[in-house]
Amino acid sequence: MHQNYSVMKLSITILFMCISINVSAQLTFDTSKPIDTLIQDFVGIGVTVSNVTFTGGNLSIGSFNGSSSIGSSQGIVFTTGRIDSLIATPAATFLSTSCNLSGDQDLNAIVGSGLTYDAAVLEFDFVATNNTFLFDYVFASEEYNEFAGSAFNDVFAFFISGPGISGKQNIALLPSTSIPVSINNVNNGATGSGPCVNCSYYHDNYNDTTLAFDGFTTPLTATYSIVPGLTYHLKLAVADVADGIFDTGVFLQKYSLRSVSTTSIAETKPQLMEMYFRDDALYVDSKSSVFHVAVYNITGQSVFEAQSNHGLELFEMNIPSGVYAVVLETPETIVNRKIVKQ
């Protein structure tokens, strides 16, 4: 249990199990859709998804629709509790559900000390048609404001993995930074009146009448550069920290998972590097004395990897004819290219 909770909610404190309760509200929720159908409320242009799974409470994920203060009227929401109409009650309502579920190992690693509980994890593979993918989201929590800066820093992350990516990278970051979005990294203090911690991205929702979460972020965008046509894996995960109460969730804007074309360094400055197949060898001139190169087939499987300290190399490789993605990494940049081997 949380200790030293000095500011209590106005309503009676009740811990709910993962059962459904219908309440009339401005927001409506649907938990009946199979996960393969539900994901289509998230997928937009230029992206194809497959192998969709969800791990969490039986009412911890679904679609939402209607008017509220989060800045998005439709999409998918998943939480450490349940997403039925209790969420759409006034902020004075105590939003806390214990599903008696375990946490997540990847989120445990982020927390460092303490364990996670009631993890809700949405995972899928995806293929994009352009070199950048992105989606829009809002992170919300009942831990705001009272537990900002405390050990009860409910955690979430968006992990991407696949060709050219080392391990799993968290892309739930504040704009133009490497700072993960979290309660302790985005808040306006334990009373809502400071000190400000990136509070330009924070909405204090304590007196709202449309959404029970006491606080949430402004709409944010997760984005990453990828190789078009290759298969990547995305894991969207949220969990309670140190206990299984005080719900936390993520709203994903409808149709916002999309792929766009952006101008990369390699496109604007082609003189920086050259890469092409010459018979059974890959020719690389990185214009940098040190580089790492990796080659992937169209399914995303690694077929070659090497490090060079010379800047210019001819790598012999016995691979079939076809289209390959080549990822060249130097101290200055990362370049992704599709190259045809005849």
Side-chain angles (χ1 to χ4, degrees):
M1 294 288 292
H2 283 7
Q3 301 296 320
N4 301 321
Y5 184 27
S6 59
V7 183
M8 293 301 296
K9 295 282 188 146
L10 299 181
S11 62
I12 298 174
T13 299
I14 302 174
L15 297 185
F16 292 95
M17 298 303 292
C18 286
I19 58 176
S20 177
I21 296 177
N22 294 319
V23 179
S24 176
Q26 291 173 287
L27 278 176
T28 60
F29 300 89
D30 185 355
T31 60
S32 66
K33 297 179 182 178
I35 192 65
D36 287 332
T37 302
L38 178 64
I39 197 68
Q40 299 308 318
D41 286 337
F42 183 38
V43 177
I45 60 172
V47 176
T48 302
V49 303
S50 59
N51 302 321
V52 186
T53 63
F54 177 73
T55 304
N58 60 337
L59 292 175
S60 294
I61 189 170
S63 60
F64 69 93
N65 181 57
S67 175
S68 75
S69 51
I70 61 171
S72 178
S73 60
Q74 291 180 298
I76 293 177
V77 56
F78 58 98
T79 82
T80 60
R82 70 173 197 253
I83 63 93
D84 65 4
S85 52
L86 181 65
I87 290 180
T89 56
T93 303
F94 182 39
L95 187 62
S96 187
T97 306
S98 177
C99 293
N100 292 322
L101 298 175
S102 60
D104 178 82
Q105 291 300 318
D106 290 325
L107 294 180
N108 285 344
I110 291 178
V111 173
S113 60
L115 295 176
T116 58
Y117 300 86
D118 282 354
V121 182
L122 175 64
E123 297 188 67
F124 54 86
D125 296 329
F126 75 93
V127 176
T129 58
N130 293 291
N131 63 359
T132 298
F133 94 100
L134 61 161
F135 59 91
D136 304 319
Y137 68 96
V138 169
F139 170 69
S141 182
E142 190 73 356
E143 301 284 358
Y144 287 120
N145 290 306
E146 298 88 347
F147 298 103
S150 76
F152 303 106
N153 184 29
D154 285 0
V155 63
F156 87 111
F158 301 149
F159 297 108
I160 186 172
S161 56
I165 301 173
S166 176
K168 299 175 182 177
Q169 298 295 317
N170 180 18
I171 60 173
L173 307 173
L174 290 176
S176 302
T177 75
S178 59
I179 301 173
V181 178
S182 69
I183 294 169
N184 285 354
N185 287 339
V186 182
N187 64 75
N188 195 26
T191 63
S193 57
C196 170
V197 181
N198 296 306
C199 60
S200 60
Y201 300 111
Y202 175 61
H203 174 83
D204 188 336
N205 201 53
Y206 197 75
N207 294 317
D208 189 70
T209 60
T210 63
L211 199 64
F213 285 115
D214 281 359
F216 45 83
T217 67
T218 60
L220 298 171
T221 299
T223 185
Y224 204 81
S225 296
I226 43 84
V227 180
L230 297 188
T231 300
Y232 291 83
H233 186 76
L234 195 62
K235 175 180 178 179
L236 314 179
V238 62
D240 293 328
V241 174
D243 58 33
I245 59 175
F246 289 66
D247 295 349
T248 294
V250 177
F251 293 81
L252 305 173
Q253 184 176 326
K254 190 169 187 176
Y255 303 148
S256 69
L257 181 66
R258 59 205 187 274
S259 176
V260 299
S261 179
T262 59
T263 301
S264 69
I265 294 176
E267 291 168 334
T268 57
K269 298 181 179 180
Q271 73 276 12
L272 286 180
M273 48 77 69
E274 288 185 84
M275 293 189 292
Y276 56 83
F277 283 106
R278 179 187 296 172
D279 297 324
D280 285 329
L282 174 67
Y283 174 85
V284 178
D285 183 358
S286 73
K287 304 297 191 287
S288 173
S289 59
V290 177
F291 70 87
H292 178 270
V293 65
V295 181
Y296 302 87
N297 62 23
I298 59 173
T299 67
Q301 181 182 7
S302 175
V303 297
F304 180 81
E305 189 172 2
Q307 181 82 21
S308 173
N309 296 318
H310 303 293
L312 190 152
E313 294 278 5
L314 194 64
F315 298 104
E316 297 288 340
M317 58 183 70
N318 182 21
I319 57 176
S321 299
V323 178
Y324 293 89
V326 181
V327 181
L328 178 72
E329 183 174 359
T330 75
E332 294 79 27
T333 187
I334 299 177
V335 176
N336 301 322
R337 279 196 181 174
K338 278 188 176 181
I339 303 178
V340 177
K341 180 179 184 298
Q342 302 295 338

